[in-house]
Amino acid sequence: MLYKEWIKTRWFYAVALLTTFALCGYVLLNINRLVSLKGAAHLWEVAMFRDAIFIDMLRYVPLLVGIVAAVVQFVPELVHKRLKLTMHLPRGYVRSVMEMLLFGFGCLALLFCGNLVMLLLGLQTFFANEIVGTLFLLPCRGIWQAWRRTYLLLGFVLNRFGADGFSTS
Amino acid sequence: MIDCINLTHYYGKRCIYENLSFSVPQGRILGLLGKNGTGKTTTINILSGFLKPRSGECRIFGQNIIGMNPELRRDIGLLIEGHIQYSFMTIRQIERFYARFYPQWDKNVYYDLMSMLKVAPNQRISRMSCGQCSQVALGLLMAQNPKLLILDDFSLGLDPGYRRLFIDYLRDFVKSSGKTVFLTSHIIQDMERLIDDCIMMDYGKIILQMPVDELLGKYRQYNFKLAENSTLSEMADVYHPTVIRGNVELGSFLDADELKSRLVAKGVAFEDFSSQKVNLEDAFIGLTGKY
């Protein structure tokens, strides 16, 4: 099952990896530019006393990636009632769907962990650990949203819709 | 191998059929024939466990398909209408994917068939023609080597050459290894080359289930001309008589002498009486009507 999911989604995850790393790199370059223009002390002050977070352009990236991941993974299963193929495999249907969801969950986890590590290392060159911790609350919340609300929910809904679709054919 | 007992199914308030019962003996190829909308795909969906009938039960290998052990599906090969497969995979990838699910998988059978298509192993299925896709689907079924094959409208989208190729390969595979097949197709000429038994469905019921040889041996199409002022009245054992400008065409399992004597008994005056054997398609149209 994981082999099938990997074949289906590998190009999406390759593109998502490059895009999200590029966005993280862009954010870090922006911060670096601000440090050069206004000095690190000013940035620290703004971060501590005005709650500036500098990486807010990444706010909706996990959400968007989650939506596209669900579409890329589950829409091909539903087109032409292809889900029947998965349902006919000699194993429990719930197990198959759970494996598909876990695959996407794991890939997104790896992708965003990579993003977080890159941001963590980058931000640590500009800010103290305490400020980095505060700045990280935002992307962590965004990632949680992508996992919980988007991917799992959309995946479940699409599968439910696909299974119900047969009863009206 | 398959036993369906008193199946009843509705879509909303629309009755598809009530108390439908049939069985498929082991080692036979049974074709389900019916007009559009008579419930062929519904029956396949019920047999595949995708659809729960409103009442009745369907048993495969002696087990009710509702709650059937998923591992038993190893012995059931399913061809979905339109030869649907995972089109994002290549010929090689799809073989590798399925091989892990089926212990008796025979990849040589699959690659032998693929070599005839003259396509590269890394060709994506989405870029193949409908005919080539049908061969991929057939190759996967043959490699799976199931005891029972369920084929939903296997001829959909195929040109005559690919239909013939599909049927010849399938028939050879099935007959050489004693498989049981339950299939539907909207092209009945194809069925005649393939099936041993047929079930003919009309809206809501089964008209007949019998071996094709017996059907073609007994069923006749009769033509005659009504004498002036003579009319054709209702008759038992006669299917869908049509009268056009006094020329009558009807089908029946009665022999010619029996039909003539019944016509005479009914007071029907006729001339130019002729009877002829028909092929499966004509028998189907004769038994179900043109409309």
Side-chain angles (χ1 to χ4, degrees):
Chain A
M1 191 60 69
L2 301 183
Y3 177 67
K4 169 169 77 76
E5 298 310 302
W6 173 240
I7 288 168
K8 188 168 51 181
T9 58
R10 59 189 167 168
W11 289 109
F12 163 73
Y13 283 113
V15 171
L17 191 74
L18 290 173
T19 309
T20 54
F21 270 73
L23 283 170
C24 291
Y26 178 72
V27 165
L28 292 173
L29 281 173
N30 256 347
I31 296 173
N32 185 48
R33 188 173 59 86
L34 285 173
V35 170
S36 306
L37 288 173
K38 299 192 174 177
H42 174 73
L43 249 65
W44 281 45
E45 187 188 328
V46 172
M48 283 190 294
F49 299 113
R50 295 187 202 168
D51 294 332
I53 48 176
F54 304 107
I55 55 172
D56 51 344
M57 73 169 289
L58 298 176
R59 182 190 300 259
Y60 295 109
V61 169
L63 189 71
L64 285 173
V65 172
I67 290 171
V68 179
V71 168
V72 166
Q73 193 177 351
F74 293 108
V75 167
E77 297 280 340
L78 303 178
V79 175
H80 297 127
K81 298 182 180 176
R82 201 167 277 128
L83 202 59
K84 282 181 177 179
L85 295 170
T86 304
M87 290 169 79
H88 187 70
L89 291 172
R91 57 189 358 224
Y93 175 60
V94 173
R95 182 183 161 192
S96 296
V97 172
M98 286 307 292
E99 281 185 17
M100 289 160 77
L101 289 170
L102 281 173
F103 171 84
F105 193 87
C107 287
L108 288 175
L110 282 174
L111 178 71
F112 293 131
C113 280
N115 289 169
L116 286 176
V117 168
M118 183 179 176
L119 281 175
L120 186 69
L121 294 174
L123 290 172
Q124 275 179 338
T125 62
F126 305 118
F127 299 105
N129 285 342
E130 290 78 4
I131 298 174
V132 172
T134 310
L135 296 178
F136 255 70
L137 280 177
L138 178 78
C140 287
R141 206 177 297 143
I143 288 165
W144 176 239
Q145 276 181 353
W147 281 0
R148 195 188 64 174
R149 293 181 187 171
T150 313
Y151 179 77
L152 288 177
L153 182 64
L154 196 56
F156 175 77
V157 168
L158 289 174
N159 273 287
R160 213 38 252 161
F161 172 73
D164 284 350
F166 302 133
S167 64
T168 55
S169 63
Chain B
M1 190 67 83
I2 298 176
D3 290 297
C4 289
I5 305 149
N6 294 327
L7 287 183
T8 297
H9 195 67
Y10 284 76
Y11 289 129
K13 289 181 179 173
R14 185 179 152 229
C15 173
I16 304 302
Y17 39 63
E18 273 185 327
N19 298 320
L20 187 82
S21 300
F22 63 89
S23 57
V24 184
Q26 189 168 354
R28 303 287 287 181
I29 307 177
L30 188 142
L32 183 63
L33 284 66
K35 293 177 182 174
N36 292 340
T38 49
K40 299 189 296 294
T41 298
T42 299
T43 307
I44 296 269
N45 281 340
I46 290 172
L47 277 176
S48 311
F50 301 146
L51 198 59
K52 190 177 176 186
R54 185 166 290 187
S55 66
E57 70 170 23
C58 193
R59 303 180 82 83
I60 296 181
F61 307 134
Q63 273 203 31
N64 192 327
I65 50 147
I66 304 294
M68 179 192 231
N69 180 355
E71 294 208 348
L72 276 180
R73 288 202 288 265
R74 283 194 176 124
D75 284 323
I76 305 172
L78 176 67
L79 182 82
I80 298 174
E81 191 174 9
H83 314 101
I84 300 299
Q85 273 302 338
Y86 295 114
S87 55
F88 48 83
M89 289 188 181
T90 65
I91 285 176
R92 186 181 285 146
Q93 285 167 346
I94 202 165
E95 187 276 321
R96 281 183 190 160
F97 170 70
Y98 279 116
R100 295 168 200 203
F101 292 99
Y102 301 102
Q104 68 272 38
W105 188 261
D106 183 358
K107 69 177 182 180
N108 294 328
V109 177
Y110 173 77
Y111 283 116
D112 285 349
L113 195 56
M114 291 308 100
S115 65
M116 293 180 67
L117 293 180
K118 298 187 172 47
V119 290
N122 57 354
Q123 173 142 2
R124 199 178 290 269
I125 294 169
S126 60
R127 292 182 186 160
M128 297 170 78
S129 70
C130 191
Q132 289 173 326
C133 286
S134 73
Q135 296 300 294
V136 172
L138 180 62
L140 292 170
L141 278 179
M142 288 161 70
Q144 181 189 336
N145 201 18
K147 290 176 186 160
L148 169 68
L149 290 95
I150 298 175
L151 316 178
D152 188 9
D153 208 348
F154 67 86
S155 51
L156 187 71
L158 299 185
D159 64 31
Y162 268 113
R163 289 209 311 269
R164 186 63 63 90
L165 187 66
F166 190 100
I167 288 166
D168 289 349
Y169 259 91
L170 181 66
R171 186 165 183 88
D172 179 63
F173 172 69
V174 166
K175 287 296 170 190
S176 63
S177 47
K179 310 290 184 198
T180 306
V181 184
F182 182 85
L183 59 87
T184 69
S185 169
H186 68 285
I187 300 183
I188 294 168
Q189 294 154 297
D190 295 343
M191 303 277 252
E192 195 169 343
R193 290 177 58 83
L194 184 61
I195 60 177
D196 303 314
D197 304 300
C198 70
I199 294 177
M200 286 195 189
M201 287 181 78
D202 207 344
Y203 297 100
K205 61 177 191 252
I206 286 179
I207 298 173
L208 61 82
Q209 175 175 2
M210 65 166 62
V212 174
D213 290 344
E214 187 183 338
L215 170 68
L216 299 182
K218 289 183 177 172
Y219 186 83
R220 293 284 183 281
Q221 181 183 301
Y222 294 103
N223 296 81
F224 54 87
K225 196 173 175 67
L226 288 172
E228 214 166 305
N229 299 326
S230 184
T231 54
L232 191 68
S233 51
E234 285 274 317
M235 287 179 70
D237 304 320
V238 163
Y239 296 91
H240 300 281
T242 55
V243 184
I244 301 172
R245 282 186 290 224
N247 293 305
V248 179
E249 181 184 300
L250 56 84
S252 179
F253 287 101
L254 300 171
D255 64 37
D257 292 337
E258 174 66 21
L259 181 64
K260 278 180 187 174
S261 61
R262 287 199 188 188
L263 286 168
V264 170
K266 284 264 183 185
V268 179
F270 59 89
E271 56 194 25
D272 298 335
F273 187 94
S274 67
S275 82
Q276 56 185 348
K277 286 188 171 184
V278 292
N279 61 26
L280 188 60
E281 183 169 292
D282 289 335
F284 172 75
I285 291 170
L287 286 162
T288 60
K290 290 173 185 165
Y291 302 104

